[in-house]
Amino acid sequence: MTSDHLAVLTLRLVLLRVVLNGLEVLLGRRADYQESGIFSWIVTKADRSWTSSGKIAGLLDPGMEYPNYLWLVGLQFACALLILPVHGNIQWVLLLIVLAIEFLTTLRYCIYGTDGSDGMHLIVLCAIVLYFSFSTPTARLIVLWFIALTAMVAYFAAGVGKLLNPAWRNGTAIEIVMMSENRGNRTLARWISRIPHLNQLICWSTIAFECCFPFVVFLGPTATLILLSCGIVFHFSIAASMGLNGFFWSFIATYPAVFRLALDLHSLSH
Amino acid sequence: MKWEPVFAIGLVAVWFAGIVCVQAVAILEIATRRNLARALWWKKLDVFDLCPVFLLFSALPVSHYHLLYRDQSIGGSISPWNLVSLPARGATRFIWHPDWRKRVALEDMCRSLLSHVGRELWKGATPSPFCFPYVALANYTAQIPACPLSSARQFMIAQSRTIPEQQPEVLFVSPLFSLRTNS
């Protein structure tokens, strides 16, 4: 597979998340963006001096206030749908619109209501826009490697962070997470706790997967594909059990780039 | 376009260095149990959070925050506390989870407000709750429909531990604030 094929696959996965997010905003949480909502622009813009007053605030306000912001989300949704089925030339202007509205959305949330999947989503979206901005194959390859390396660092940091937490090492972390109100699944938590040592197995499997992620690319494309398949299962199970569907799309979107890195490392060593 | 590879290397190198730095500081904070926020002084320039922390559940959700409110009538009587409830999480949340952000935002705001008040108390100053999370929570709770005779409202944050499950503990009660009247 060429870099362009893999980049288009990354782009489609990122845009699928944009489409799903757009649907959730437009159909599921419009009220949250009203003046009375949790993401009211009148309130969230006060968190930064440059969004609450001045020229930049004057430029942002018309688009960010309700209901204009929903039109922007609709525009982003439409642009993503237009780009998704394209095989040949990616309309760079449409991509830029998707990215610009994603930046505005980041301003809207401040740091509240976001998680690591939003960070990875924005990084991959920025990087893929850069990819299609460059015309030289070398520059494009560098961008793909950057996406791969970022994913590797993200997984490794998460794995090391868990390794340093006694609750993850002794196996109680899964129970704590599953019993939590917003992220957990209490039925699953009770089921897991009935099976001896399953908590510890899940904890250590998670730590091992995340810590080993950066190193498997050096073992060749086949080993990398096996790892990435485990990653897909890992993220799908998190989405299914905890409702964290954002992580599935954001992190899976980095996998084509990781595979490309494994191919290139394999070529260099042979 | 000979400049493209050089530009690409420069741009991603700086960006990647920022990402690595943020992860390293976050891990060092866990390992040393020290606040190393000063090492990330440049993060205030990262307005779009392009160098996020990827600790991903390394810090566990050991607490759950409950948001409650009560009203004061024009006669001065105080209502019982009412829980700000959220829709139950559906079985299709693995693909359709629109209230996810609101849940997390409320939790983040409660935690931030409590941290703010905690810092104020630690400084020895008279703690003032007024900060962005307070304003956001006050605005959110103020918009919940009220009895026509209600003139003011206050909200409360209570915390319960995930494990072991326990009765919620009151951590913060806001001052009374006027309810907006539609004119």
Side-chain angles (χ1 to χ4, degrees):
Chain A
M1 291 182 97
T2 65
S3 290
D4 284 348
H5 287 128
L6 294 168
V8 168
L9 182 55
T10 295
L11 175 64
R12 286 192 174 142
L13 289 165
V14 162
L15 290 178
L16 274 173
R17 183 180 152 141
V18 171
V19 165
L20 281 170
N21 268 348
L23 282 173
E24 285 186 345
V25 170
L26 296 173
L27 300 180
R29 54 172 187 256
R30 278 199 304 264
D32 293 345
Y33 300 91
Q34 293 177 353
E35 276 189 26
S36 57
I38 194 73
F39 299 120
S40 158
W41 176 241
I42 294 169
V43 174
T44 56
K45 71 177 187 177
D47 196 35
R48 301 177 192 86
S49 56
W50 57 275
T51 53
S52 54
S53 62
K55 287 182 184 171
I56 296 175
L59 286 170
L60 290 174
D61 282 346
M64 295 292 266
E65 284 170 353
Y66 185 87
N68 298 343
Y69 175 71
L70 296 184
W71 286 105
L72 286 180
V73 173
L75 175 62
Q76 185 190 45
F77 174 80
C79 290
L81 278 183
L82 284 171
I83 303 169
L84 259 172
V86 169
H87 288 283
N89 281 334
I90 303 292
Q91 287 297 323
W92 187 80
V93 172
L94 295 179
L95 255 185
L96 208 56
I97 291 172
V98 170
L99 178 63
I101 296 172
E102 198 66 33
F103 278 133
L104 292 178
T105 299
T106 306
L107 285 183
R108 184 133 202 151
Y109 294 135
C110 302
I111 55 168
Y112 304 102
T114 61
D115 57 27
S117 70
D118 297 299
M120 183 58 82
H121 172 70
L122 188 60
I123 289 172
V124 177
L125 184 57
C126 282
I128 214 66
V129 170
L130 269 177
Y131 181 96
F132 289 107
S133 307
F134 292 137
S135 54
T136 54
T138 309
R140 288 184 162 195
L141 190 61
I142 289 166
V143 172
L144 275 188
W145 285 351
F146 165 72
I147 294 174
L149 289 171
T150 300
M152 288 153 67
V153 163
Y155 278 115
F156 188 70
V160 171
K162 290 178 177 70
L163 204 53
L164 292 172
N165 188 326
W168 280 98
R169 293 199 302 271
N170 65 26
T172 54
I174 290 296
E175 191 184 359
I176 294 171
V177 170
M178 286 299 168
M179 289 295 286
S180 65
E181 185 73 28
N182 285 333
R183 295 168 180 81
N185 184 325
R186 295 192 173 196
T187 308
L188 192 60
R190 289 186 196 106
W191 182 80
I192 289 173
S193 63
R194 283 194 208 122
I195 301 172
H197 305 300
L198 185 56
N199 272 324
Q200 290 94 328
L201 180 65
I202 295 173
C203 283
W204 278 102
S205 300
T206 304
I207 292 170
F209 168 74
E210 290 180 342
C211 288
C212 292
F213 193 95
F215 305 105
V216 174
V217 292
F218 297 101
L219 300 180
T222 308
T224 304
L225 270 179
I226 294 170
L227 176 83
L228 297 181
S229 305
C230 294
I232 292 170
V233 171
F234 172 66
H235 285 294
F236 181 79
S237 62
I238 289 173
S241 60
M242 299 165 66
L244 301 179
N245 50 19
F247 282 93
F248 180 83
W249 299 111
S250 304
F251 279 81
I252 303 302
T254 66
Y255 287 7
V258 174
F259 183 63
R260 178 64 210 220
L261 181 62
L263 285 173
D264 291 334
L265 289 172
H266 185 71
S267 304
L268 283 172
S269 60
H270 289 86
Chain B
M1 296 275 195
K2 288 183 182 175
W3 58 270
E4 277 190 359
V6 176
F7 178 73
I9 289 174
L11 179 64
V12 303
V14 170
W15 193 356
F16 187 67
I19 292 171
V20 170
C21 185
V22 166
Q23 313 316 311
V25 169
I27 288 171
L28 277 172
E29 281 188 330
I30 296 174
T32 60
R33 296 184 189 220
R34 289 170 61 189
N35 186 338
L36 300 173
R38 280 189 193 176
L40 298 177
W41 54 268
W42 51 270
K43 272 287 277 178
K44 59 184 174 223
L45 302 172
D46 184 16
V47 295
F48 298 111
D49 203 22
L50 288 168
C51 298
V53 176
F54 287 119
L55 289 185
L56 312 180
F57 285 102
S58 302
L60 295 168
V62 294
S63 303
H64 175 68
Y65 300 106
H66 307 269
L67 186 62
L68 300 96
Y69 71 95
R70 67 181 179 184
D71 293 344
Q72 182 183 53
S73 71
I74 52 178
S77 60
I78 304 280
S79 74
W81 287 105
N82 297 292
L83 181 67
V84 176
S85 58
L86 293 168
R89 298 193 299 154
T92 54
R93 63 182 182 269
F94 72 97
I95 192 78
W96 183 253
H97 203 176
D99 67 333
W100 159 247
R101 286 207 188 276
K102 184 157 78 175
R103 287 176 173 275
V104 174
L106 285 172
E107 186 180 302
D108 288 345
M109 286 173 184
C110 289
R111 187 182 302 112
S112 286
L113 174 55
L114 292 171
S115 295
H116 169 83
V117 172
R119 278 195 302 273
E120 296 275 296
L121 284 169
W122 190 79
K123 283 180 201 170
T126 309
S128 163
F130 300 108
C131 56
F132 171 75
Y134 174 85
V135 172
L137 288 169
N139 179 67
Y140 182 67
T141 51
Q143 303 303 324
I144 297 169
C147 165
L149 295 175
S150 297
S151 63
R153 178 167 283 175
Q154 65 184 158
F155 68 87
M156 178 224 286
I157 299 173
Q159 173 188 274
S160 55
R161 307 290 272 182
T162 304
I163 289 174
E165 289 187 75
Q166 58 172 209
Q167 286 296 317
E169 176 189 5
V170 176
L171 293 183
F172 175 82
V173 178
S174 80
L176 284 161
F177 49 85
S178 294
L179 289 173
R180 259 184 246 168
T181 53
N182 292 327
S183 55

